Amino acid sequence: MGEIDTKINFLGIEIDNPIIPASGTYGFGYEFAELYDINMLGTFSFKGTTAEPRFGNPTPRIAECPSGMINCIGLQNPGIEKVISEELPKLAKVFHKPVMANISGFSLEEYVSNCEKIDKVDMVGWIELNVSCPNVHGGGLAFGTDPDNVKNVVKAVKKVIHKPLIVKLSPNVTDIVAIAKAAEEGGADGISLINSLMGLRIDLKTGEPILGIKTGGLSGPAVFPVALRCV
Amino acid sequence: MKRSLFEIEKNIPLTKDVFEMVLNGDTSGITNAGQFVNILLDGYYLRRPISVCDYDEGSLTLIYKVVGKGTKAMSEMPVGTNLDLLVGLGNGYDLSRAGDHPLLIGGGVGVPPLYNLAKKLVKEGKKVSVILGFNKKEEVFAEDSFKKLGCDVTVTTVDGSYGTKGFVTSALPSSYSYFYTCGPEPMLKAVYNATTTEGEFSFERRMGCGFGACMGCSCKTITGYKRICKEGPVLRKEEILWEK
């Protein structure tokens, strides 16, 4: 049987295949290395990282749905300094390829400063700007729903980094095309589609929402057609 | 942690809604009493985390309660069905802190993970006391299993229809060296307040992955943020911060 060449050039870096687990689904990667060799992936996008350590939202943070799940993790992460000094060295022991850094923020200045720091890390191949987290107030999605904000933050980040910049967009907008064009005008090298769709699950026994902050982001096979349409 | 295929050898009801399932397969990923498995069920997006009641080289026993569609589907699975399991998840209990006379306190389906722990402690020559708490007589299970190990067993029922009337805390002995507990969170809180020694608590949370990647089951503790699936499900008494 002949081998299929799955290599692609991904924004200037050749990767073995286009399989790239999305940020938030894959932690900092090394957790999965107990189960299989994670080097079989093209790369993956690591857990959304902010300047300060974040605990995230109250639990429950996960609820199952038919053909997917909703989550409201709320960007739990140890903060960019610890990501660089602790998480990425742990990853480097089991993953020998460039990784995609998912960067979040609560202000334009925070996005810029986080991106500038992560840009200097050797094993980071690409920076993914998360302007679309549905589960934190005043951050992420607050940027991603306004074309001018997206353009400004992308422009500001591009000034301080050397690596390719991908902007992750939210489907929770009236016109995703306008946002994508704003990212392009700001100088983005690519866009990633999509962040999760806002959703709600009710516990039928209590009549209350299951999740700790009531709503969450829907992901899984259920949203694949929506994502494909956005692409 | 290991992922492998198991075959159902036995799947029988112990009470109206509590079932015992024996699975044959590679258990080498299990390293400690109090760990759990995460089971992939056909037609369900998330795996079901269930604590391990007992295990040996080639099989493991789960005792689970039917609480929703997933566990209902499990209860209807015939012998011979193959299941995809992640085994050896979580930290489990720390046996080295037991002392000479450990006390094990279980409530409802919090009882099963204490069984393998009791077995190991008895084997180490400890004098093991066990309190098993249930709502009523019809819900009682596992009493004989613990007795056969040689444990001193007390059963409590809330309505008094069997054993000592009241909650598990009404049956606490006057002296014990250390305690291990698992059960519904109100019971854990009551045990926390009523016990006088140090001890360990096994918690339950809604989980996504079951091995630390998704951050779905995090909690705050005195020693920092912990993931119930990874740094838990067992937390020491002195590190617990109760929410609200």
Side-chain angles (χ1 to χ4, degrees), chain A residues 46-206:
Chain A
F46 67 58
K47 178 75 189 159
T49 294
T50 51
E52 299 300 322
R54 283 179 57 83
F55 173 65
N57 290 320
T59 55
R61 296 174 174 181
I62 302 237
E64 189 177 50
C65 312
S67 203
M69 54 173 258
I70 60 173
N71 86 82
C72 64
I73 307 296
L75 289 176
Q76 180 175 352
N77 78 93
I80 193 150
E81 304 299 343
K82 277 203 170 164
V83 166
I84 294 171
S85 67
E86 292 176 17
E87 299 294 336
L88 294 182
K90 274 191 223 171
L91 173 64
K93 285 182 187 160
V94 290
F95 189 61
H96 314 301
K97 295 178 168 188
V99 67
M100 190 184 295
N102 185 285
I103 298 297
S104 267
F106 292 84
S107 66
L108 188 140
E109 293 72 27
E110 184 183 346
Y111 276 110
V112 170
S113 146
N114 289 344
C115 288
E116 195 170 12
K117 284 175 188 163
I118 210 74
D119 190 61
K120 296 190 175 84
V121 177
D122 281 345
M123 80 177 297
V124 170
W126 312 262
I127 297 172
E128 182 179 49
L129 209 59
N130 179 8
V131 291
S132 46
C133 179
N135 297 322
V136 293
H137 292 293
L141 196 53
F143 277 89
T145 52
D146 181 285
D148 286 338
N149 281 347
V150 169
K151 186 177 164 183
N152 291 339
V153 72
V154 170
K155 214 180 210 174
V157 166
K158 276 298 279 184
K159 273 185 198 153
V160 300
I161 64 167
H162 303 91
K163 288 172 177 166
L165 183 70
I166 297 151
V167 185
K168 185 168 184 175
L169 301 185
S170 171
N172 304 306
V173 293
T174 314
D175 181 11
I176 198 167
V177 176
I179 312 278
K181 284 200 178 302
E184 187 179 30
E185 282 168 24
D189 300 291
I191 51 174
S192 71
L193 298 162
I194 54 177
N195 210 315
S196 52
L197 284 153
M198 293 287 277
L200 175 74
R201 291 291 277 173
I202 303 277
D203 183 337
L204 294 179
K205 284 176 193 150
T206 63

Side-chain angles (χ1 to χ4, degrees), chain B residues 47-124:
Chain B
R47 288 173 182 261
R48 264 48 182 184
I50 311 272
S51 60
V52 174
C53 171
D54 196 19
Y55 67 99
D56 59 27
E57 278 170 17
S59 77
L60 60 85
T61 303
L62 308 174
I63 293 181
Y64 61 95
K65 185 176 179 179
V66 173
V67 292
K69 290 178 187 167
T71 39
K72 177 86 168 61
M74 277 176 67
S75 72
E76 291 162 354
M77 286 176 176
V79 166
T81 307
N82 285 319
L83 286 174
D84 177 328
L85 263 67
L86 296 175
V87 301
L89 304 180
N91 57 352
Y93 293 107
D94 182 353
L95 276 73
S96 71
R97 290 162 48 108
D100 295 333
H101 183 192
L103 172 65
L104 278 50
I105 310 160
V109 277
V111 167
L114 300 175
Y115 179 77
N116 183 257
L117 174 69
K119 200 174 177 181
K120 287 184 166 137
L121 291 170
V122 167
K123 205 174 171 187
E124 287 180 4

Side-chain angles (χ1 to χ4, degrees), chain B residues 3-37:
Chain B
R3 178 184 179 182
S4 53
L5 217 54
F6 283 72
E7 187 182 329
I8 300 177
E9 182 194 303
K10 180 178 166 188
N11 192 20
I12 57 159
L14 297 180
T15 69
K16 188 166 69 71
D17 52 8
V18 173
F19 288 73
E20 177 183 4
M21 181 184 275
V22 178
L23 292 154
N24 292 326
D26 177 9
T27 60
S28 61
I30 305 174
T31 55
N32 203 4
Q35 289 185 312
F36 65 96
V37 298

